[in-house]
Amino acid sequence: MIETIKNAWKIPELRKRILFTLCMLVVYRLGSFIAVPFVDKEVLGALLGSNSVLGLFNVISGGNFKNFSIFAMSIQPYITASIIMQLLTIAIPALERLSKMGEEGKKKITRYTKYAAIGLALVQALGLALTLKGFMTNDSWYAIAIVVMVVTAGTSLLVWIGDQISEKGIGNGISLLIFIGIVSGVPSAISTIITGVIAGNFPIWVAILIPVFVLVTVVGVVAVQEGTRKIPITYAKRIQGRKQMGGRNTHLPLKVNQSGVIPVIFAQTITMAPATIASFFPNSKFWSGFANAFQWGGFWTTLIYLVLIVAFSYFYSTISFNPVEIAENIQQYGGYIPGIRPGKPTVIYISNILNRLVFAGGIFLCIISIIPIITGNILNLNIQLGGTSLLIVVSVALETVKALEQHLIMRNYKGFLK
């Protein structure tokens, strides 16, 4: 990885992309210190310590919610809008046709997703403002409107920054924003652990166990993310004009974790939905009880969380990998899987392997996600997102390095053609 970064830095074009990405991330971190007016941060910070759902929301936002900066909602509305659009793409034929129109269709769907994200951000900001009305120094409708507009504008700015990084920088902009938000909380987490050991809040073996868990998790994530199942494919010899084509062996690589960290992020967003809905009714006993029954770390919430992770793993693999299309392409170019007949048997064979891989990948994501929740409940530590955070950080780091390698390969090809 270090060697890849060194090679990329030597190339002016890639150096500009790297610097642009770093500048955008610096803008994001600077915005994290611009506070929203009319909100008492000290009282809000005390509330986060006693509310697991708001604490989870704070971790996802990279600590911006605790400071209630202009990026308090982070990019959660955009993630929610992405989930909705992907579901609607399957349900609505017009959107399905757009998704199959290539790059132009994807651009239109992305634009619709942005509009939906701004709408959701506006609604969510209103819910937050009404929920935190008791913690505001000025609870007039004017002050609430200011808070809503500022927080919504902050989310819109983050979506724009993510787009700019994806277009002019390195890697996926949205993923990098989540990455930098999590990494920025590492010093605070280390300080909390050290302070807890010194104060005697938990035994020293916990401080030793956490780094071991981090190391094991990182190794496991890298192994699973890089793991592939290679399906052998043989292309028969055929004569095309005066040339002999085919006659070679290759393979179809299927990743163990096809969907990466997306199922975990989607599952978190939906699992937090009860608390988000309850925030619109702060004085309702029904919604308060509903939110408490499905609070983060509880039995039912954890069960729903794990089921959603597996379900989204299958869902994402379904929309991103089509065994029927793959089998048709293999047959069209005169290829076949040894021992498997072309056509429907090939589709069934690839689907069976894919289903087993998706299930294994989903179970791995569940294990990574549930261990910190169980540990946090037993030891009464606020580390519910520990495993998930590591999963996101490692996955995004691997994705970014691969993006750098692709730029290097493309540059070498261009140089060779010139």
Side-chain angles (χ1 to χ4, degrees), residues 288-347:
S288 298
F290 185 73
N292 291 331
F294 290 93
Q295 64 178 339
W296 184 260
F299 174 78
W300 292 110
T301 306
T302 303
L303 181 61
I304 294 172
Y305 180 45
L306 298 179
V307 171
L308 286 174
I309 288 176
V310 177
F312 275 118
S313 296
Y314 278 101
F315 170 74
Y316 190 82
S317 67
T318 300
I319 64 175
S320 62
F321 189 90
N322 189 347
V324 176
E325 185 178 342
I326 296 297
E328 288 177 353
N329 290 337
I330 293 174
Q331 186 176 8
Q332 180 181 354
Y333 290 99
Y336 63 93
I337 299 174
I340 306 296
R341 295 181 61 184
K344 189 174 182 180
T346 299
V347 175

Side-chain angles (χ1 to χ4, degrees), residues 99-138:
S99 65
K100 295 179 179 179
M101 287 175 59
E103 198 64 32
E104 192 63 31
K106 290 181 180 179
K107 286 182 179 179
K108 288 184 179 180
I109 292 178
T110 301
R111 187 163 64 248
Y112 297 154
T113 304
K114 291 177 185 176
Y115 295 153
I118 294 174
L120 288 172
L122 188 62
V123 174
Q124 191 170 335
L126 180 60
L128 279 177
L130 294 177
T131 302
L132 302 176
K133 190 175 180 180
F135 306 101
M136 295 176 63
T137 56
N138 182 352

